[in-house]
Amino acid sequence: MILTFKPFQLEFKYPFGVSSNTRTHTPAVFTKLQHNGFVGYGEACLPKYLGETQGETILFLEKAKIILQNISYPTINILYEIDKISNGNNAAKASIDIALHDLIAKSQNKTVAQLLGFKNPSSQITSYTIGIDDEKQTAKKIEEAKQFSVLKIKAGTADDKKLITEIRKYSDKPIYIDVNQGWKDKFFVLDMLHWMKEQNVILVEQPMPITMLEEMAWVTAQSPLPTIADENIKRFTDIDKIAGCFSGINIKLMKCTGMQEAFKMITYAKQKGLKILLGCMAESSCAASAMVQFMDYGDYVDLDAPTLLKYDPFSGISYENGKVMVNNGYGTGAVPKSDFYI
Ligand code: MG
């Protein structure tokens, strides 16, 4: 198998974050796997907080390339070898995992969903992230998000009640709140969750720092809203570590090393009675088309990333009436755009 790759900068339509720490681009590396005339595509999306750089990703892919070129027949089992290259590089691993699933499914005239043994996904409602600015900007962004029926808000600001109150002047849509570890006191958290439930908030993601698991268990036991682990969950083995501390987990391909592990996590989390949020980083339709294969297994879907990009180098999924629409093409269904050479 031949692995090639291309570093790229994904540009946002709107800068993210507060003025002192605005992000306009996210680095990425796109991968291409070829075998016997079939081609699979993958993506490593590398937002800064993930802690993986383009340079490290390229070094990892160079090592993977040597393993892959000595393999005469593509099989998912290769991923165990790829995983052993290093302890981290989860997004780099995901880029190979996605390309390999895409390639194998295409070679069998199947979607990846069919390859994994389940039916093609149906279209699902996704939340849509509103980056918070001043009130005027917030109003404008809510107007622009009018096709979406669920909003996602990054909280953990100096005054989150004020933030939600402002949004409620312009929209009564259900809201997913992502606190990004921003709340530190368990009594405050529980009070906030009760108040947020009154505001038609549907779930809260990672309210407390990753080290405060004991406090999270206390909060979750009494919480009127589902609590979803994000920073506390990367890979499969993290699920048992948060047992009893959250009501659900946010699974992202870039955190968990790809589709093979995501599938294992979904299956295990369901057995454990945990809710599943299917999430993403800032990836293009390449990686998002891989995640949508699992869409029918998510209790909540947060796959808006491609809509936040100024230029999406792949086509594969689209958005209509607030839903992620799947094309059910062979593989992941992602196809590079004609002006994107890889
Ligand atoms: Mg989050």
Side-chain angles (χ1 to χ4, degrees), residues 47-305:
K48 206 171 175 189
Y49 57 82
L50 192 65
E52 296 176 39
T53 65
Q54 257 179 345
E56 289 160 1
T57 301
I58 289 165
L59 281 177
F60 182 91
L61 293 174
E62 291 288 3
K63 290 179 195 163
K65 193 174 180 167
I66 297 165
I67 295 176
L68 292 165
Q69 74 193 8
N70 290 319
I71 284 164
S72 52
Y73 187 74
T75 133
I76 297 296
N77 288 336
I78 301 163
L79 295 171
Y80 294 106
E81 291 304 309
I82 301 294
D83 197 19
K84 283 186 210 154
I85 296 174
S86 72
N87 280 327
N89 300 105
N90 292 7
K93 289 171 184 174
S95 75
I96 294 174
D97 167 291
I98 295 166
L100 186 64
H101 279 85
D102 189 33
L103 173 77
I104 296 175
K106 280 173 178 164
S107 71
Q108 297 180 19
N109 286 352
K110 287 177 178 172
T111 63
V112 173
Q114 290 166 337
L115 177 74
L116 296 173
F118 49 88
K119 68 178 175 53
N120 286 340
S122 52
S123 301
Q124 299 286 347
I125 285 177
T126 178
S127 54
Y128 180 82
T129 304
I130 304 270
I132 296 308
D133 280 286
D134 54 47
E135 193 174 333
K136 204 173 141 202
Q137 282 291 323
T138 302
K140 191 173 155 233
K141 285 184 180 175
I142 287 173
E143 170 61 22
E144 282 165 0
K146 63 172 178 252
Q147 72 147 305
F148 294 95
S149 52
V150 180
L151 304 179
K152 186 170 184 187
I153 307 294
K154 304 272 183 197
T157 63
D159 190 344
D160 289 325
K161 281 192 181 177
K162 183 169 164 245
L163 173 74
I164 302 299
T165 306
E166 266 177 19
I167 289 163
R168 283 291 173 245
K169 287 187 205 165
Y170 304 99
S171 171
D172 59 2
K173 289 175 184 174
I175 295 176
Y176 298 167
I177 293 283
D178 187 356
V179 187
N180 286 315
Q181 315 183 61
W183 298 338
K184 311 280 192 289
D185 178 275
K186 66 180 183 182
F187 299 104
F188 173 79
V189 177
L190 197 56
D191 277 352
M192 283 299 271
L193 296 185
H194 280 285
W195 184 83
M196 296 239 169
K197 185 174 169 61
E198 299 297 310
Q199 306 298 315
N200 197 21
V201 169
I202 304 297
L203 63 84
V204 63
E205 200 176 297
Q206 196 73 43
M208 306 189 81
I210 54 171
T211 51
M212 299 184 78
L213 279 180
E214 221 172 283
E215 289 83 352
M216 266 317 301
W218 182 89
V219 167
T220 296
Q222 305 168 75
S223 175
L225 293 176
T227 58
I228 309 290
D230 186 7
E231 285 85 346
N232 268 115
I233 283 279
K234 278 190 173 163
R235 300 192 59 167
F236 180 81
T237 50
D238 295 325
I239 298 177
D240 280 340
K241 295 180 195 161
I242 57 110
C245 302
F246 290 89
S247 13
I249 59 172
N250 183 336
I251 302 175
K252 297 176 185 168
L253 295 178
M254 297 303 137
K255 290 193 298 183
C256 79
T257 71
M259 303 184 77
Q260 191 211 27
E261 186 136 339
F263 192 29
K264 265 172 68 184
M265 290 174 81
I266 289 168
T267 309
Y268 188 59
K270 287 238 177 258
Q271 282 170 15
K272 290 262 172 188
L274 287 164
K275 294 208 177 296
I276 292 164
L277 188 152
L278 298 177
C280 57
M281 299 289 182
E283 53 250 46
S284 77
S285 285
C286 181
S289 296
M291 195 51 147
V292 301
Q293 304 290 314
F294 300 117
M295 213 154 49
D296 287 345
Y297 296 92
D299 297 285
Y300 316 101
V301 173
D302 177 30
L303 295 175
D304 61 347

